[in-house]
C-alpha cells in the first residue's frame, strides 16, 4: 500500500466521517425542557430562590443595555487581558498575548466590542420585579485599574441601588496570568419590604460571515454556541441553526454556556449550586445564549451572594480544565475526542522539550510511527509478498487478455494457493486512520500553533500556507519515490496513469493547506518511505514467474 493509496483511503474515510458528523448534528435529539424547581441559595438568613421559566420558548425578557453615556466604563487589566466594563456589560476585551496577524505592530485580538456591525458583549445583571435591569455605577473614581507589579490579582467594584433600599455590590477580579474573570455579587435588602430579583448571565454577538473551504481550518471549527450540563454533557449549535433546531430552555446546575470561534472562547460559568435556565435567542442579527436564574426573594435584612466566572481567551485545555468540569470540551475534536485529547497533551509535552511547535509535530509523528510500527511491518510484509508474485500476475493478465472475469478468477486462485491476503496491506492503514484524523483535529484546534514559527525565514506561522511551497514539493517527491517501491498489482494502464498523476495532484492540493498539517504529512510520508525501503530489503524475495 503506497502513500498515494493510503491518502485515497484516508480521503474517503474523512468524507464519510464528516458526513456522519453533519448528519448527527442535524438529527440529534433536542434537550428536554425540565420543570423548574425551587433551589436554595447562599444567604443569611435563607431567602427563597427558584429558577425562572421562559414565557416564550427560546426568549427571555432582558432590557436593552445602557449607552456608554448612562453607564460609566472602567478599564480592568492584568498581564493577559484588558477589559472594558460598565458593571453590567463587558463591551471590550483585548488579548494582549495574541496579535491579529504576524505583521509588526499588529494590534491584539479583540473579542468583546461595542461596534454595531460586529457587536460582541457579555452581560451579567439583576432583573427587578418590574422587569427593569439594575444599573451599576463604579464604586470608586478610578477609570483605569491595572495589575501592579508584584501583585497577584486586581479588582474593581460597582454598586447598584434599587428604589426600595436594595443594594447589589459587584466585584470583578482578575488574577495574574489568567483569562478567567471572577464576578462576586452581594445582594442586601436594606428596605422594609420583600424584594424579588433574578440574576442572569448572557453572551450576545453579531456573528461574522461563515468561512468555508476544505483547506480552511476555520471551516471545521465551531462558530456558534456551546453549553454543558452534568446530565446531557457537551452540546453545541452553529449560528445559522439557533432558531431552526428549536428552543433550548434547559434547567441546569453545575454547567456553563459559551460562544465559540476558531482558537478562542468566551464562557459564563455560574455558581455550581445555583441552578439557571439555559436558553438561546436571536434578535435581528444578534445571537445570544443566556443562563437566567436563580430568582431570589429577600426579606428585609436578608443577604444573598452569587458567584460566576467569565472566561475570555484562547482555548487552552490545561487552564479550561481547572475552571469547571467539561469546559475543556470546548476544544471540539468531534467524534475523535477520546484520541485527540491525549495526542494534544503529548504534543504539549513535546513542545516543553523542543520549545518549537514544528519540531514537536515531527517528534509526535516519530512516536506515533513507533507505536504503530507492528501494524506497518505487517503492511510492508504483505506488500513484499505481492511484489514477489507481481510477474506471475502480469503473465496471467497477458494470458487472459480482455477476459477480466477469467483473469480475476485466476488471480484469486493464485492468492488462495500462495496464501496471499490482498487486503493485508489495507487493514493496518484502516486501523491507523482514526489516529491520523484525531491528530488532524488537534492541529486544527490547537491555539498554540497559531502564528507559531518553525524555521525562521521560512515558516513563521504553522497555521498559514508554506510561503515558498517547499513542503508541498517535498511531499510530491516523497510520494513519487514511494510509488516506485510499491507494486501496482492488477492495475490496467489507465489506473496506473491515474496513480502516477497523484503526486502532482497532491502537491498542488497541499500547497493550500496550513504548513503544520503539511509538515505532519511530509514527516509521516518520509518515515513511511524509509520504513518501506527497509522492509522491502528485509522481505525481498526473488520474483516468481509461471513455469
Amino acid at each position: 500500500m503506497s502513500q498515494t493509496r493510503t491518502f485515497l483511503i484516508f480521503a474517503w474515510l474523512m468524507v464519510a466521517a464528516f458526513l456522519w458528523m453533519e448528519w448527527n448534528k442535524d438529527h440529534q435529539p433536542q434537550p428536554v425542557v425540565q420543570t423548574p424547581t425551587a433551589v436554595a441559595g447562599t444567604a443569611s438568613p435563607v431567602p427563597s430562590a427558584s429558577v425562572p421559566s421562559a414565557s416564550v420558548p427560546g426568549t427571555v425578557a432582558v432590557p436593552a443595555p445602557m449607552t456608554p453615556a448612562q453607564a460609566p466604563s472602567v478599564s480592568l487589566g492584568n498581564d493577559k487581558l484588558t477589559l472594558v466594563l460598565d458593571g453590567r456589560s463587558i463591551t471590550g476585551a483585548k488579548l494582549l498575548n495574541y496579535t491579529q496577524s504576524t505583521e509588526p505592530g499588529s494590534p491584539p485580538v479583540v473579542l468583546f466590542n461595542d461596534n454595531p456591525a460586529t457587536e460582541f458583549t457579555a452581560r451579567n445583571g439583576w432583573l427587578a420585579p418590574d422587569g427593569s435591569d439594575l444599573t451599576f455605577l463604579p464604586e470608586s473614581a478610578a477609570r483605569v485599574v491595572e495589575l501592579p507589579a508584584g501583585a497577584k490579582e486586581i479588582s474593581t467594584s460597582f454598586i447598584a441601588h434599587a428604589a426600595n433600599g436594595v443594594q447589589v455590590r459587584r466585584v470583578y477580579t482578575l488574577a495574574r496570568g489568567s483569562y478567567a474573570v471572577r464576578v462576586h455579587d452581594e445582594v442586601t435588602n436594606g428596605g422594609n419590604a420583600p424584594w424579588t430579583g433574578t440574576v442572569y448571565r448572557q453572551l450576545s454577538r453579531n456573528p461574522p460571515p461563515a468561512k468555508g473551504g476544505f483547506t480552511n481550518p476555520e471551516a471545521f471549527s465551531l462558530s456558534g454556541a456551546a453549553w454543558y450540563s452534568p446530565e446531557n454533557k457537551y452540546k453545541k449549535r452553529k449560528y445559522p441553526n439557533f432558531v431552526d433546531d428549536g428552543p433550548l430552555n434547559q434547567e441546569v446546575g453545575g454547567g456553563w454556556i459559551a460562544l465559540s470561534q476558531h482558537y478562542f472562547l468566551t464562557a459564563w460559568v455560574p455558581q455550581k449550586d445555583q441552578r439557571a435556565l439555559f436558553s438561546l435567542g436571536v434578535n435581528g442579527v444578534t445571537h445570544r445564549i443566556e443562563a437566567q436564574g436563580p430568582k431570589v426573594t429577600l426579606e428585609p435584612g436578608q443577604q444573598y451572594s452569587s458567584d460566576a466566572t467569565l472566561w475570555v481567551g484562547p482555548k487552552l485545555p490545561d487552564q479550561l480544565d481547572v475552571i469547571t468540569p467539561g469546559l475543556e470540551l470546548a476544544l471540539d475534536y468531534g467524534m475523535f475526542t477520546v484520541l485527540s485529547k491525549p495526542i494534544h497533551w503529548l504534543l504539549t509535552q513535546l513542545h516543553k522539550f523542543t520549545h518549537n511547535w514544528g519540531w514537536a509535530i515531527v517528534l509526535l509523528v516519530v512516536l506515533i510511527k513507533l507505536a504503530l510500527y507492528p501494524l506497518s511491518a505487517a503492511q510492508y510484509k504483505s506488500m513484499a509478498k505481492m511484489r514477489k508474485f507481481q510477474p506471475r500476475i502480469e503473465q496471467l493478465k497477458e494470458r487472459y487478455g480482455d477476459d477480466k472475469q477469467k483473469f480475476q478468477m485466476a488471480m484469486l486462485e493464485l492468492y488462495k494457493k500462495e496464501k496471499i491476503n490482498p487486503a493485508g496491506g489495507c487493514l493496518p492503514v484502516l486501523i491507523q486512520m482514526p489516529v491520523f484524523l484525531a491528530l488532524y483535529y488537534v492541529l486544527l484546534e490547537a491555539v498554540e500553533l497559531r502564528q507559531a514559527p518553525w524555521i525562521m525565514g521560512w515558516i513563521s506561522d504553522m497555521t498559514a500556507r508554506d510561503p515558498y511551497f517547499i513542503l508541498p514539493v517535498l511531499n510530491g517527491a516523497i510520494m513519487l519515490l514511494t510509488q516506485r517501491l510499491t507494486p501496482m498489482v492488477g492495475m490496467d494502464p489507465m489506473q496506473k496513469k491515474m496513480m502516477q498523476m497523484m503526486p502532482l495532484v497532491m502537491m498542488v492540493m497541499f500547497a493550500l493547506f496550513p504548513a503544520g498539517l503539511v509538515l505532519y504529512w511530509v514527516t509521516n510520508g518520509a518515515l513511511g518511505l524509509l520504513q518501506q525501503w527497509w522492509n522491502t530489503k528485509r522481505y525481498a524475495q526473488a520474483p516468481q514467474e509461471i513455469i
Side-chain angles (χ1 to χ4, degrees):
M1 181 71 63
S2 68
Q3 188 189 27
T4 303
R5 297 184 188 181
T6 300
F7 180 83
L8 291 174
I9 292 176
F10 156 71
W12 281 110
L13 288 176
M14 188 168 64
V15 170
F18 289 156
L19 289 175
W20 183 89
M21 286 186 286
E22 289 299 320
W23 183 92
N24 187 57
K25 285 189 293 184
D26 292 337
H27 294 79
Q28 60 184 343
Q30 297 300 319
V32 179
V33 179
Q34 303 179 17
T35 304
T37 57
V39 292
T42 304
S44 177
V46 179
S48 62
S50 63
V51 179
S53 58
S55 57
V56 180
T59 65
V60 181
V62 176
M66 300 180 65
T67 62
Q70 294 172 300
S73 296
V74 174
S75 175
L76 177 67
N78 63 0
D79 56 328
K80 300 288 186 180
L81 193 62
T82 297
L83 303 174
V84 177
L85 40 89
D86 60 18
R88 187 180 62 186
S89 300
I90 300 179
T91 58
K94 295 181 179 179
L95 308 186
L96 304 180
N97 288 2
Y98 293 87
T99 57
Q100 296 181 19
S101 71
T102 56
E103 296 296 324
S106 174
V109 169
V110 175
L111 293 184
F112 297 134
N113 73 89
D114 56 3
N115 184 338
T118 59
E119 183 179 1
F120 188 6
T121 59
R123 301 176 67 195
N124 181 195
W126 282 88
L127 298 176
D130 61 359
S132 62
D133 206 343
L134 297 186
T135 301
F136 286 84
L137 297 174
E139 195 171 24
S140 71
R143 293 294 179 264
V144 177
V145 183
E146 296 181 348
L147 184 69
K152 293 183 178 180
E153 61 183 31
I154 188 70
S155 298
T156 188
S157 58
F158 293 80
I159 296 287
H161 294 282
N164 51 5
V166 173
Q167 172 184 287
V168 180
R169 185 174 187 270
R170 169 167 295 166
V171 180
Y172 290 92
T173 303
L174 265 177
R176 182 178 293 278
S178 177
Y179 295 96
V181 188
R182 303 197 307 272
V183 185
H184 175 75
D185 288 353
E186 194 73 38
V187 188
T188 303
N189 186 353
N192 53 16
W195 179 83
T196 299
T198 305
V199 63
Y200 70 89
R201 284 98 184 182
Q202 181 190 96
L203 295 164
S204 62
R205 185 175 194 181
N206 178 1
K211 295 184 178 181
F214 177 69
T215 62
N216 184 1
E218 290 190 45
F220 296 92
S221 189
L222 173 65
S223 179
W227 61 93
Y228 177 89
S229 67
E231 298 80 16
N232 297 312
K233 306 305 180 185
Y234 173 78
K235 301 293 180 181
K236 60 184 177 180
R237 190 175 297 183
K238 294 184 176 181
Y239 289 118
N241 303 328
F242 263 42
V243 175
D244 295 344
D245 286 358
L248 174 56
N249 292 350
Q250 181 181 358
E251 182 189 324
V252 176
W256 51 264
I257 59 173
L259 290 182
S260 179
Q261 66 188 68
H262 194 214
Y263 296 134
F264 301 103
L265 180 76
T266 58
W268 274 115
V269 184
Q271 187 170 321
K272 187 175 182 180
D273 59 352
Q274 296 179 358
R275 300 181 72 81
L277 184 70
F278 287 6
S279 64
L280 294 168
V282 178
N283 182 15
V285 296
T286 302
H287 296 64
R288 74 167 183 271
I289 185 168
E290 182 168 326
Q292 190 179 72
K295 183 178 182 180
V296 181
T297 298
L298 295 175
E299 297 296 331
Q302 285 188 323
Q303 291 183 331
Y304 184 86
S305 65
S306 183
D307 292 289
T309 299
L310 175 65
W311 178 270
V312 188
K315 297 177 182 178
L316 299 172
D318 55 335
Q319 295 189 33
L320 292 174
D321 192 39
V322 175
I323 301 298
T324 190
L327 191 56
E328 78 282 356
L329 296 175
L331 277 91
D332 192 355
Y333 302 124
M335 62 188 295
F336 301 102
T337 298
V338 67
L339 291 174
S340 293
K341 286 182 68 174
I343 288 176
H344 195 168
W345 176 87
L346 179 57
L347 183 64
T348 303
Q349 303 309 307
L350 292 173
H351 177 261
K352 294 177 181 178
F353 173 71
T354 63
H355 303 286
N356 182 292
W357 288 106
W359 294 119
I361 291 174
V362 171
L363 284 181
L364 179 64
V365 177
V366 171
L367 291 179
I368 291 177
K369 275 289 188 180
L370 289 175
L372 298 177
Y373 180 76
L375 294 176
S376 300
Q379 172 187 346
Y380 296 128
K381 187 175 182 179
S382 175
M383 288 171 55
K385 202 167 187 179
M386 293 286 288
R387 178 184 293 274
K388 174 184 176 181
F389 291 97
Q390 185 174 3
R392 295 182 61 178
I393 294 174
E394 292 295 332
Q395 289 177 344
L396 289 174
K397 185 182 295 186
E398 293 177 4
R399 175 180 299 177
Y400 294 105
D402 295 332
D403 195 336
K404 293 185 177 181
Q405 184 175 0
K406 287 186 177 180
F407 168 67
Q408 292 292 335
M409 291 180 62
M411 189 166 60
L412 291 175
E413 183 65 28
L414 174 64
Y415 287 161
K416 182 178 179 181
K417 179 181 178 182
E418 301 294 342
K419 298 180 180 180
I420 300 173
N421 180 9
C426 298
L427 182 59
V429 175
L430 293 176
I431 296 175
Q432 294 175 55
M433 280 302 105
V435 177
F436 173 83
L437 288 168
L439 179 59
Y440 180 80
Y441 270 91
V442 168
L443 298 180
L444 287 178
E445 285 288 296
V447 67
E448 297 92 337
L449 296 180
R450 180 182 181 272
Q451 299 180 4
W454 177 34
I455 297 176
M456 298 305 297
W458 173 18
I459 294 178
S460 59
D461 184 356
M462 297 296 293
T463 61
R465 301 171 186 172
D466 181 344
Y468 304 113
F469 306 109
I470 296 174
L471 287 175
V473 171
L474 281 176
N475 182 73
I478 290 170
M479 291 182 68
L480 186 63
L481 291 174
T482 303
Q483 277 190 352
R484 297 194 175 186
L485 293 177
T486 304
M488 295 187 181
V489 178
M491 286 189 181
D492 58 39
M494 180 62 70
Q495 289 175 324
K496 287 184 178 180
K497 288 182 179 179
M498 290 179 62
M499 293 297 289
Q500 290 167 354
M501 287 292 295
M502 284 305 296
L504 178 61
V505 172
M506 298 306 301
M507 182 175 67
V508 173
M509 190 176 76
F510 273 129
L512 306 176
F513 273 72
L517 289 173
V518 185
L519 174 60
Y520 162 80
W521 193 255
V522 168
T523 307
N524 185 71
L527 291 176
L529 175 62
L530 183 62
Q531 284 183 328
Q532 186 166 344
W533 172 79
W534 168 252
N535 284 282
T536 299
K537 291 186 61 177
R538 181 182 179 187
Y539 297 112
Q541 300 181 45
Q544 296 290 315
E545 299 184 2
I546 297 176
I547 301 174

